[in-house]
Amino acid sequence: MLDPLDLKRIDHIRMFVGNARQSAYFYRNAFGFQVTDYAGLETGSRQEAAYVLRQGKITLVLVSPITPDHPESSRLVRHGDGVRTIALEVADVQAAYDAALARGAESASPPQTIEDQGGVYITAEIKAYGDTTHAFVDRSRYKGFAPSFKPLDPDRYSAGTFHPVGLAAIDHIVANVEEGRMSEWVNFYSKVLGFSTLVSFDDKDISTEHSALMSKVVADGKGRIKFPINEPAKGRRRSQIDEFLDFYGGPGVQHIALATGDIIASVRAMAANDVSFLRVPSTYYEMLPERVGSIKEDIAELAELGILVDRDEEGYLLQIFTKPVADRPTLFFEIIQRRGARSFGKGNFKALFEAIEREQSRRGTL
Ligand code: FE2
């Protein structure tokens, strides 16, 4: 059955971070998110502080434990900052949760209906790879973000320090899992969520002198939710996936790809806000016209900003990757603009992975 859980969209991404107040400042000032809502002691949240960040259709929630005995404090020691939950909007939480369990999912939290002055908010959670979960959310009868959240104090930030960058939507969210376990998770998404496999890459597509990886992309029937899943393949040395698994302490979200309608403007604004991006050698741009043919953008401008281009049968795409956003070489972001292409930049893998390996080499983890 296609779309057995009746998933509508990615509602939000919930990240656990060491210091949500400071992370919110970073994602606001560097990535151009508006901080809209807050939960903490002042709003009756006794265990954790949380900030809701919005840009276009993207919602991130940054959460930090504020008590020593918060049940998930140990998650931060193990993983560092990272994605805890990918929340999916559904029409009927109980039905989605029951269907998921019947199809083989493990429960992380049974359905809960919370009523307050904002209305009725319903949510449940199932386990995914590592300590990551998927939440099901029904907010159709709720006004505001979620119970215990209040609109952020308007005096918290001064308007002059905010520079929007034009990010519009979540394009895809990538998981890294252990060697030999990619198929298991592809099966999970197929069996439990009814996703199908869009594309797969093997170590012949994605290998460099040092590392190789395998990847499959699973997606919902409407193509709104796309989750590539990577596993390391045996390389000569340690791949970037091995490095992630070591420093994250297991499988987890490797990168979040955010779509923009104007990547040149977005990347220019983010770079001005001090976001660090991976760079490929300038020779990449010498070969570009031959590789991708005619494109609307000025290649000199793409080269200046470090934006990559790839073409498939349907069109082309432009993409760029940030360096990891915290001190561990784990979570990073991709900025992507699609001009018809529905693929993931396979033609850039080699140049990109060599750029990542130069970073790994600087970290002594290659
Ligand atoms: Fe990606």
Side-chain angles (χ1 to χ4, degrees), residues 172 174 228 255 257 319 321 334 344:
H172 59 274
V174 181
H255 75 264
Q319 63 186 168
F321 297 82
E334 171 181 353
F344 295 85

Side-chain angles (χ1 to χ4, degrees), residues 133-155:
T133 63
H134 287 302
F136 302 125
V137 176
D138 170 10
R139 57 171 67 262
S140 60
R141 287 179 289 153
Y142 199 81
K143 203 170 137 286
F145 177 70
S148 89
F149 283 82
K150 295 268 157 52
L152 190 83
D153 171 3
D155 295 331

Side-chain angles (χ1 to χ4, degrees), residues 176-218:
N176 281 345
V177 303
E178 304 97 322
E179 186 182 333
R181 299 198 62 190
M182 177 184 65
S183 296
E184 192 182 308
W185 286 106
V186 169
N187 290 341
F188 168 87
Y189 282 101
S190 150
K191 199 173 136 220
V192 173
L193 301 188
F195 283 17
S196 50
T197 303
L198 276 190
V199 266
S200 54
F201 308 102
D202 63 20
D203 50 352
K204 283 179 249 356
D205 295 317
I206 316 180
S207 70
T208 64
E209 185 191 347
H210 294 307
S211 66
L213 67 88
M214 304 210 279
S215 188
K216 282 189 178 173
V217 182
V218 294

Side-chain angles (χ1 to χ4, degrees), residues 248-313:
Y248 195 71
V253 171
Q254 178 210 40
H255 75 264
I256 299 169
L258 302 176
T260 168
D262 183 349
I263 195 167
I264 289 176
S266 293
V267 172
R268 202 175 277 293
M270 292 173 78
N273 293 345
D274 292 327
V275 174
S276 304
F277 292 100
L278 278 177
R279 302 295 301 219
V280 296
S282 56
T283 49
Y284 173 92
Y285 295 94
E286 291 164 18
M287 299 180 295
L288 196 59
E290 193 184 326
R291 193 164 68 75
V292 300
S294 145
I295 57 172
K296 288 182 182 162
E297 293 73 17
D298 173 20
I299 289 184
E301 206 171 11
L302 298 178
E304 176 207 334
L305 296 167
I307 296 166
L308 311 177
V309 190
D310 196 27
R311 186 176 281 283
D312 65 19
E313 311 74 48

Side-chain angles (χ1 to χ4, degrees), residues 278-281 350-360:
L278 278 177
R279 302 295 301 219
V280 296
K350 194 173 167 65
L352 196 62
F353 294 163
E354 285 170 351
I356 293 174
E357 283 160 11
R358 280 193 297 278
E359 297 289 318
Q360 275 188 271

Side-chain angles (χ1 to χ4, degrees), residues 31-51:
F31 277 66
F33 281 89
Q34 291 274 13
V35 187
T36 60
D37 299 85
Y38 165 76
L41 291 172
E42 299 85 344
T43 73
S45 171
R46 309 305 301 176
Q47 291 273 325
E48 59 195 37
Y51 294 77

